[in-house]
Amino acid sequence: MLPLLLLVAGCASPQPLTLGVAAENVEAVDFFARTVAAPVGAYEWYQAWGSAAPFDATRAGAAAARGALPVLTWEPWAPGAGVQQPAYSLDRIVDGSHDGYVTGFARQVRAWGGPVAVRFLHELNAPNYPWSVGVNGNTASDAIAAWKHVRAIFDREGVRNVVWVWCVNVHAPGTTPYGEVYPGDEAVDWVAVDGYNGGTTLPWGGWRSPQQVFGPSLEDLHALSDRPLAITEVGSAEQGGDKAAWVDQLFRLAVEHRVRVLIWFQYQKEADWRVDSSPRSAAAFRRAAAVPGRLGSPPLPSQRPARG
């Protein structure tokens, strides 16, 4: 298991960056580590509430055995059923409609016992999911209430091994300001953001540098909270620019903005986001990861009593 590290919030001295990967299976950690010639400190996967599947302790254990913090993106929806899913609106979470499932899941996480990061309601400021503000009647106050309700269930069940990751999408037209949906530092361990460069492959504004994608969002998150800052999904297309240069710029941006966790989206979906989409891209990643002192362990809070 990973050691629990003391979190020193607001420290101005340089801090290491944890490199992570989001991928279909945990074996991808091995491939990613070989490809970038660097240790992988976090492994991220996705699980929908609609599957009613239990906490995947086997997957979490396999990640931990590889030295990677398990990072679960926990999604209240039924995948493939579209954005309009009233059964998973935020007020249904708040009114206790899903308490049985959440309580059972919390107990499974507690029983597993190792550190696990839970990324709940990710990208809630963008209208892409049933839990998003502005979708299914969801409001900003509903988002805060739903977060605190689920956290309260975990606290009531004595779950002390979770790193709570509050995640937004990068600023874009039609998204909700971060401060309107933030539940407060007392309810959050990391603040996180997701963003991509779609280049000319996708209609997302053409080729954009990491600074254009992330810069304003990272500045606003630093102003909002002193919690460790993470980029929990990132990728770049190849078409429209130089992906290898983009990778180098991303690492420089992460250091400049004191990002503590950087998780690469190792999927071929809307675009080929994979770091090995070209030999030049993979080589750039290896060079960036090889900078002495750049990489380290994830920032984990010290164990503390569950809140009453």
Side-chain angles (χ1 to χ4, degrees):
M1 297 297 177
L2 293 170
L4 286 176
L5 306 180
L6 291 177
L7 173 64
V8 183
C11 182
S13 60
Q15 294 176 304
L17 176 68
T18 297
L19 181 61
V21 60
E24 190 68 35
N25 55 66
V26 73
E27 289 75 21
V29 172
D30 304 325
F31 173 81
F32 194 78
R34 290 193 302 270
T35 300
V36 304
V40 177
Y43 165 67
E44 180 175 289
W45 78 97
Y46 301 78
Q47 181 170 326
W49 288 23
S51 68
F55 173 67
D56 195 340
T58 299
R59 189 192 300 244
R66 289 166 165 81
L69 173 70
V71 181
L72 168 64
T73 297
W74 202 31
E75 304 172 306
W77 71 334
V83 174
Q84 298 296 332
Q85 297 187 38
Y88 295 102
S89 62
L90 294 175
D91 60 358
R92 294 295 301 275
I93 295 175
V94 175
D95 72 13
S97 296
H98 301 281
D99 280 7
Y101 167 72
V102 173
T103 299
F105 201 89
R107 290 171 179 169
Q108 293 158 10
V109 171
R110 183 190 65 202
W112 182 65
V116 56
V118 174
R119 193 170 67 125
F120 173 52
L121 301 180
H122 76 291
E123 301 178 14
L124 76 168
N125 64 313
N128 300 329
Y129 298 104
W131 59 84
S132 300
V133 173
V135 174
N136 284 318
N138 299 330
T139 66
S141 60
D142 291 334
I144 294 173
W147 180 278
K148 291 185 175 180
H149 181 79
V150 169
R151 275 234 49 186
I153 291 174
F154 275 67
D155 287 340
R156 186 187 68 214
E157 294 299 324
V159 184
R160 304 176 188 177
N161 53 315
V162 168
V163 179
W164 289 96
V165 182
W166 180 84
C167 175
V168 289
N169 196 69
V170 291
H171 291 313
T175 57
T176 304
Y178 298 157
E180 294 183 14
V181 289
Y182 187 56
D185 282 359
E186 71 281 357
V188 170
D189 294 309
W190 297 355
V191 294
V193 62
D194 296 346
Y196 295 84
N197 169 38
T200 55
T201 302
L202 298 166
W204 294 355
W207 189 269
R208 297 188 298 156
S209 69
Q211 173 61 33
Q212 290 172 311
V213 174
F214 288 104
S217 299
L218 293 173
E219 291 172 5
D220 285 353
L221 289 173
H222 272 304
L224 180 67
S225 172
D226 288 331
R227 291 303 193 213
L229 186 55
I231 294 176
T232 43
E233 288 184 25
V234 59
S236 175
E238 290 276 0
Q239 292 71 29
D242 186 338
K243 183 171 179 176
W246 199 93
V247 168
D248 179 69
Q249 294 163 9
L250 174 68
F251 274 86
R252 293 177 184 274
L253 176 102
V255 172
E256 177 185 348
H257 286 273
R258 306 189 308 281
V259 173
R260 298 298 313 281
V261 180
L262 180 68
I263 299 178
W264 190 267
F265 193 74
Q266 185 69 3
Y267 285 88
Q268 186 171 9
K269 293 181 69 177
E270 310 91 341
D272 190 349
W273 305 117
R274 298 172 300 172
V275 72
D276 55 319
S277 58
S278 69
R280 290 189 69 248
S281 172
F285 217 104
R286 287 193 293 272
R287 288 193 300 271
V291 172
R294 175 168 280 180
L295 300 183
S297 300
L300 303 184
S302 58
Q303 281 202 344
R304 56 189 181 276
R307 297 175 301 157

